Amino acid sequence: MKRSFYTFLLLLLFSCRQSSDTTEVVKFLMPTQEGLTNFLDKVRHIRLIPLNDSSLTYFGNDPDIFYDKQEFYVADKNGNGKVYRINDNGNLISIIGEKGRGPNEYLDIKNIQVEGDTVYIFSSPNITISKFLTDGSFISKNTIDINAQQAIVQDTKLIAYAGFGMEVPYRYIILNDQKIKYLLKSKEKVMSFSENTNVFYKNNKDLFAREAYSNIIYRYADDFIPYLTFDFGKYNIPDDFFAFGDSFVASEFLFKREYALTRKY
């Protein structure tokens, strides 16, 4: 099975655009060297930050990195399961929680969120929310009986991502004051593809969401509204993929062709 995974950084696009409910189409031609060069021209700068603590020398496969107030939060999901807070000089500031089943521990990190001096760590089973201060002090732990892959706190709401092929026929779940609302109905009969990178991204108070198996980035404003659409040309995931009645046939069809998978932004 042949797959072409293209990893790209789009933070600059969000920082430069004004909030809008009008979707914009961006042509993205990664297969050519010229397209890659043009893309890198849009990056303001690239900086190498050496890690100064010996305990940070090795991380597991594909750790998630979050940036907030000139600090980095590294979720070593596939390594030792800890979250590291590192300053922009590469120095370790604090370690937030650890893998386990105790009150101040978590299993299988799905994603994290930093709000002010509070760090939310979302993990399984179901949606387990562990809250810490940025210095690593434990606040609370709560499990919500919702089957979802990732989650994020937005004002008084908890927004969860169920994805494709799970038990619920909707991709996003809104929990507000014990009331549940489902958004983006999904009729696709595909396998349950888990998102192993962050679905949600916040820019100030604006919340965005992107799925690996979609070329659309959504903006949340009481509903998920198409905000940015990527045109990968022949590397787009075809509509036929979502029309199959059998999930295994759909998966085999997709994996036999080249396509662009939206991984990071």
Side-chain angles (χ1 to χ4, degrees), residues 93-119:
I93 304 174
S94 59
I95 297 177
I96 303 171
E98 61 182 314
K99 193 169 185 177
R101 299 181 181 274
N104 61 337
E105 299 173 336
Y106 39 75
L107 288 173
D108 192 18
I109 298 176
K110 299 301 184 182
N111 63 295
I112 71 172
Q113 177 184 359
V114 181
E115 291 289 340
D117 61 353
T118 303
V119 179

Side-chain angles (χ1 to χ4, degrees), residues 159-172:
I159 303 177
Y161 175 73
F164 293 104
M166 298 191 74
E167 294 178 1
V168 295
Y170 294 84
R171 306 210 296 277
Y172 293 91

Side-chain angles (χ1 to χ4, degrees), residues 5-9 28 30 36 39 261-265:
F5 295 134
Y6 301 126
T7 301
F8 49 87
L9 178 67
F28 201 86
M30 278 295 291
L36 178 61
F39 171 68
L261 182 62
T262 310
R263 290 290 297 274
K264 294 185 179 180
Y265 57 89

Side-chain angles (χ1 to χ4, degrees), residues 35-235:
L36 178 61
T37 302
N38 292 339
F39 171 68
L40 292 177
D41 286 343
K42 301 181 188 302
V43 179
R44 292 175 181 173
H45 66 272
I46 298 175
R47 179 186 170 198
L48 176 64
I49 300 178
L51 300 178
N52 298 323
D53 192 290
S54 60
S55 64
L56 303 176
T57 303
Y58 299 103
F59 288 116
N61 180 42
D62 196 20
D64 275 355
I65 301 175
F66 304 85
Y67 185 72
D68 182 73
K69 300 183 183 70
Q70 296 184 320
E71 294 177 349
F72 297 91
Y73 293 80
V74 181
D76 192 15
K77 298 190 300 184
N78 299 317
N80 57 31
K82 296 180 180 180
V83 175
Y84 297 89
R85 179 184 171 206
I86 304 169
N87 65 21
D88 61 356
N89 291 319
N91 297 315
L92 176 65
I93 304 174
S94 59
I95 297 177
I96 303 171
E98 61 182 314
K99 193 169 185 177
R101 299 181 181 274
N104 61 337
E105 299 173 336
Y106 39 75
L107 288 173
D108 192 18
I109 298 176
K110 299 301 184 182
N111 63 295
I112 71 172
Q113 177 184 359
V114 181
E115 291 289 340
D117 61 353
T118 303
V119 179
Y120 296 85
I121 299 178
F122 301 95
S123 61
S124 63
N126 295 331
I127 299 177
T128 299
I129 308 171
S130 300
K131 292 174 62 176
F132 296 84
L133 293 177
T134 53
D135 65 4
S137 301
F138 174 71
I139 300 175
S140 64
K141 183 177 181 179
N142 183 32
T143 298
I144 300 174
D145 189 18
I146 292 179
N147 191 10
Q149 296 181 24
Q150 295 184 24
I152 194 169
V153 174
Q154 176 78 343
D155 298 324
T156 61
K157 302 175 183 177
L158 179 75
I159 303 177
Y161 175 73
F164 293 104
M166 298 191 74
E167 294 178 1
V168 295
Y170 294 84
R171 306 210 296 277
Y172 293 91
I173 306 166
I174 314 297
L175 181 64
N176 187 19
D177 193 23
Q178 303 302 315
K179 296 179 181 178
I180 296 180
K181 180 180 180 181
Y182 298 99
L183 298 177
L184 283 192
K185 188 173 183 179
S186 177
K187 297 180 179 179
E188 295 82 3
K189 295 182 175 63
V190 300
M191 297 181 72
S192 179
F193 292 110
S194 297
E195 299 282 351
N196 58 4
T197 56
N198 215 26
V199 171
F200 299 106
Y201 167 71
K202 292 188 74 172
N203 182 23
N204 296 321
K205 292 188 176 181
D206 287 331
L207 175 64
F208 300 91
R210 75 99 193 94
E211 305 164 289
Y213 294 89
S214 171
N215 63 334
I216 300 174
I217 290 178
Y218 296 92
R219 176 175 175 265
Y220 177 72
D222 293 326
D223 201 345
F224 283 95
I225 302 166
Y227 180 77
L228 202 62
T229 301
F230 290 91
D231 181 4
F232 294 100
K234 68 176 183 178
Y235 298 98

